[in-house]
Amino acid sequence: MKLNDLSPVEGSKKAPFRKGQGHGSGNGKTAGRGHKGQKARSGGNIRPGFEGGQTPLYRRMPKRGFNNKIFAVKYAEVNVASLNRFEDGATVDAAALIEAGVIKNAYDGVSVLGSGKLEKKLTVKAARFSKSAQAKIEDLGGRIEVI
């Protein structure tokens, strides 16, 4: 037996139902859409939950229950390319980044990401470092400190 000898079992494959192919097909003319109205039109459908302009149920119901979002840890993200504005051998921490205008707020800590090219030897103090950022800082003889 070869792959080209294989075929589906008799009766297992059914031809797709073709709508709108004449009234003799049993589903011609309006093709199961009824007469007129928004849903009879091409592209005429409404999104799930739409109630004709009335305020939908999901907006009428009060918001209740627990949401973990308020406990999420938010980091100020800094790419290594933006660390080039500091002088060679400088110590870079959240306060220095805010003073230099790289970030506006330190939130729950600073996360250093590896996008861009670093050209200076720095000591960087942050809450998190991506592996690529860590490698770029240490390749130039710099140090990282996780705080």
Side-chain angles (χ1 to χ4, degrees):
M1 179 174 274
K2 297 180 183 136
L3 282 175
N4 63 337
D5 293 336
L6 295 175
S7 63
V9 178
E10 192 66 39
S12 69
K13 298 292 256 178
K14 194 173 172 186
F17 194 81
R18 298 177 70 210
K19 291 188 157 201
Q21 301 296 309
H23 65 85
S25 70
N27 210 323
K29 195 182 170 211
T30 56
R33 289 170 175 255
H35 291 277
K36 299 187 181 176
Q38 183 175 10
K39 288 164 127 184
R41 312 289 183 207
S42 150
N45 223 331
I46 50 175
R47 67 177 182 275
F50 183 69
E51 297 180 23
Q54 171 178 299
T55 306
L57 184 66
Y58 67 86
R59 288 190 56 204
R60 294 194 304 256
M61 300 306 286
K63 290 176 177 60
R64 296 189 52 192
F66 176 74
N67 190 333
N68 207 25
K69 191 175 181 181
I70 59 172
F71 301 107
V73 181
K74 187 172 183 183
Y75 292 103
E77 295 173 347
V78 176
N79 283 310
V80 290
S82 56
L83 299 178
N84 285 323
R85 67 178 70 200
F86 295 98
E87 293 178 21
D88 212 14
T91 301
V92 180
D93 58 358
L97 290 166
I98 292 169
E99 192 179 311
V102 178
I103 58 174
K104 287 184 180 176
N105 193 339
Y107 301 111
D108 296 322
V110 177
S111 178
V112 182
L113 306 176
S115 179
K117 191 170 192 283
L118 183 66
E119 293 152 2
K120 299 188 177 157
K121 177 182 172 181
L122 300 168
T123 301
V124 185
K125 297 179 180 180
R128 294 187 347 176
F129 293 88
S130 70
K131 287 180 182 174
S132 59
Q134 184 175 343
K136 286 178 183 181
I137 293 167
E138 290 175 344
D139 284 349
L140 291 170
R143 285 184 33 227
I144 66 160
E145 290 180 31
V146 179
I147 53 170

